[in-house]
Amino acid sequence: MSRAGAKEVRPNLRRYPAFVRFWLASTVSDFGTYTTTLALSVLVLVTMNGTALDQGLVNAARWAPYLLFGLVAGIWIDRFPRRTVLIGGDIGRAVILVGICVTAAAGGISIPVLLVLMFAFGLLALTSDAAYQSFLPQLVPRSLLTRANARLQQSDTAAQATGTAVAGGLVALVTAPVALLFDAVSYLLSAAVLLTLERPEPPAPVRSGQRLHRKIAEGLDWVYGHAYLGPLAWSTHLWFIGSAILGAVLPAVLLLDLGLGALGMGLVLGCAGIGAVIGTTLSTRLGNRWGTGRVIVAARLAQPVAVVLVALAPFVADPAHDGGIHGSPAEWPGELWAAFLLAGAGQFLFGLAMGAEGPLEMGYRQAVTPDRLIARMSATMRSVNRGMIVLGAPLGGTLAAVAGTGTALWAAAGFLLLSGFVLLFSKFRNARIEVQQLSDGEELVP
């Protein structure tokens, strides 16, 4: 075959217009998501005068549906067209965010009310996530799954890099509740794009006579009985505990301990986004050169180092700390700038590592799993992972309340380090997606 002919048949994601539109819908939603993450933290910690424990409880409520219903989500989603579920999830979450804004504007917002609304938000997110992971393999062949996941994560990290900084300025300008409307609009735009998908989906699978508990057991056996997915699953569960502790405590460190304000917090979190953009850009090439397992192990061992840098930031800023919110960055004292740069460097490294491992991990999980088990594999790992948030977020808030935010950050680093060690001393460190992926339609047992 000539070189010209080889170029003509080379797989390219642009040859799959349904994926391109799906990618657009995901990108639109990603930009709004980072606004909500930042706005909720400011709403809880500043507007409502909450604590790190309150932040942890709100985070836990958001992910509690994964713990309660995650194992049956994939089975339930198998009965409906994936696109319909995704569109419904987008519209429903938009309505909830509008509800939070209206409730806050009317003066009726409280932590219990926010917990209920975020639980409903998480329930819709659960159904959308289960559909999302099993929908993507319908849009591109398995050989392109890693590349497709890299593109999706690049959009997410680009949104994190720019969206968090913009979100910080937006929250400072229009207040946290009003900023939530931005994400509501992004969900509606995402739903509109999904409605334009032209490629018809395969019909929903015919309901089998297999009992529910047997279907759940089959998904669990596949994940935890697999020689490579098993260690990856246990490592990821530990990672989510550490990440949840960090997620509950980091907003309190930035807003209360350092007094950076919404804009400063957005800029620090934006550093993670910049690192993630670079990481996702390099992810596929690193995986091809060093192997899927080695890259993921290295990334997970780098993340506790990143958290240590963040934990050191309050010590640098201590002379500048006065217990309040500082003004714009132009008014920050030198010590606060040093703390900001240290926290930003930690977030950059954290995002770089996550960006490098994310597409490889997701692509590997999808590529080695048979089509009929992808929804259940995704639901199993996501439900347990998010269940770890339900445990880790309140734990982080409690540690911060009892022993201080510094202790909580060191605990987060410890869990992340343990996560890396689980993979380092398992077979997964030698995993290579190009060797172990199934062919399209192939069915194997672990």
Side-chain angles (χ1 to χ4, degrees), residues 308-331:
V308 169
L309 293 178
V310 177
L312 295 175
F315 293 97
V316 175
D318 186 63
H321 177 63
D322 58 11
I325 301 294
H326 293 277
S328 67
E331 302 172 358

Side-chain angles (χ1 to χ4, degrees), residues 58-90:
V58 170
N59 290 353
R62 182 175 181 175
W63 302 109
Y66 288 82
L67 180 63
L68 298 176
F69 311 116
L71 291 178
V72 300
I75 299 170
W76 181 75
I77 291 302
D78 279 342
R79 303 180 180 182
F80 300 93
R82 307 294 195 270
R83 189 183 68 160
T84 301
V85 175
L86 290 168
I87 293 171
D90 282 345

Side-chain angles (χ1 to χ4, degrees), residues 112-126:
V113 170
L114 193 56
L115 292 177
V116 172
L117 291 172
M118 292 313 299
F119 181 88
F121 186 93
L123 189 60
L124 290 170
L126 166 63

